[in-house]
Amino acid sequence: MRLRLPEERPTEPPTGYKIAHPVLSQDGTRAGFTGVSLGGALPYGVLADASCVYGLRHRAPNRRCDCGFHCVHDRTAAEALLCTAEQRAAVLLEVSVLGRFIRFERGFRYARQRVRTATVGPCACGTVAAALADAGWGRPGWRALAPSCAGCVRGRTSVSLAAFARLAGEGLRVVAGSEGARRVADLGTSPDDLGVPELVAEAALLQARLDWFQTQLARLREPGAGGGGQG
């Protein structure tokens, strides 16, 4: 006899939490996420279907395989994963569990998901993030991003939190989190709809970029800069 587990038919999609690295496409037109474990090589969008990471043709999730999206039930458990050194630059995702799923004691393994909210941690310097900037690594065709304040962006490729939300689409919300402050950027938010915190963050990011460019121009204007020496 094979023991058949009971099937759940929830009236609303279950909510789960996970961590991931935000990514930006090479041409800067798309945004998404990449996992921190098995599925790390396969960036995914806000609304995405899982596939078997081993290339097998069965539907995910399969009980005899590890495939499928993974998340935990408890937000605090997901936040605890951000304490490890290698995951400090990851973001916290709140997701809707869609399609077929397998429930475990601590979470779900499932076929389809929608990322509802991405909470971005502070910049490496400890300041609340105003942007997501090039983290110095990536996947083929995708740049990994890390939280950055306006002062630490400098000349790196970066997008504001509002811009990342717009590029990712599908109603994603991006929240800049810290111990006592949060900023929200919604899909489709126009400059007229932004509140004071969002406008301050956007202005700080633009000012930081302007300061960096002015510094580079000043160096180029110094006597002897850019001289034509023989190589």
Side-chain angles (χ1 to χ4, degrees):
M1 278 182 65
R2 291 181 61 189
L3 179 63
R4 298 194 62 174
L5 297 176
E7 293 188 5
E8 295 186 56
R9 299 186 181 275
T11 57
E12 295 182 356
T15 295
Y17 301 91
K18 62 194 298 182
I19 64 172
H21 294 287
V23 292
L24 181 69
S25 64
Q26 182 179 0
D27 60 6
T29 62
R30 292 174 294 155
F33 303 95
T34 188
V36 298
S37 56
L38 283 177
L42 302 173
Y44 55 84
V46 172
L47 181 62
D49 294 291
S51 59
C52 181
V53 295
Y54 303 109
L56 302 178
R57 295 185 178 181
H58 54 237
R59 290 194 305 166
N62 188 287
R63 293 189 182 279
R64 299 177 181 272
C65 187
D66 295 328
C67 61
F69 290 119
H70 295 70
C71 72
V72 295
H73 300 302
D74 184 53
R75 180 187 180 98
T76 303
E79 289 175 332
L81 300 175
L82 296 171
C83 293
T84 62
E86 62 272 21
Q87 310 303 353
R88 289 289 178 93
V91 299
L92 176 70
L93 304 183
E94 178 184 308
V95 302
S96 291
V97 175
L98 307 173
R100 298 170 61 249
F101 65 82
I102 301 173
R103 182 188 290 270
F104 296 94
E105 181 180 357
R106 297 190 61 192
F108 298 99
R109 185 157 60 91
Y110 51 101
R112 183 175 171 83
Q113 74 177 6
R114 178 186 293 276
V115 182
R116 299 202 304 256
T117 304
T119 302
V120 179
C123 176
C125 72
T127 306
V128 176
L132 291 166
D134 192 340
W137 63 276
R139 306 290 185 224
W142 296 87
R143 290 187 178 91
L145 304 177
S148 177
C149 69
C152 293
V153 167
R154 300 184 184 276
R156 290 184 292 166
T157 298
S158 63
V159 292
S160 68
L161 304 187
F164 185 90
R166 288 193 296 270
L167 291 172
E170 298 290 347
L172 176 69
R173 299 171 62 236
V174 179
V175 178
S178 68
E179 290 298 322
R182 285 186 175 179
R183 291 200 289 268
V184 177
D186 291 321
L187 167 71
T189 301
S190 68
D192 293 336
D193 296 328
L194 293 176
V196 172
E198 290 77 34
L199 290 173
V200 169
E202 294 282 352
L205 181 59
L206 291 173
Q207 184 62 53
R209 287 172 171 169
L210 179 60
D211 291 344
W212 184 84
F213 281 116
Q214 288 177 333
T215 300
Q216 302 308 308
L217 286 173
R219 289 176 179 174
L220 290 174
R221 290 171 179 169
E222 292 177 359
Q230 185 174 2

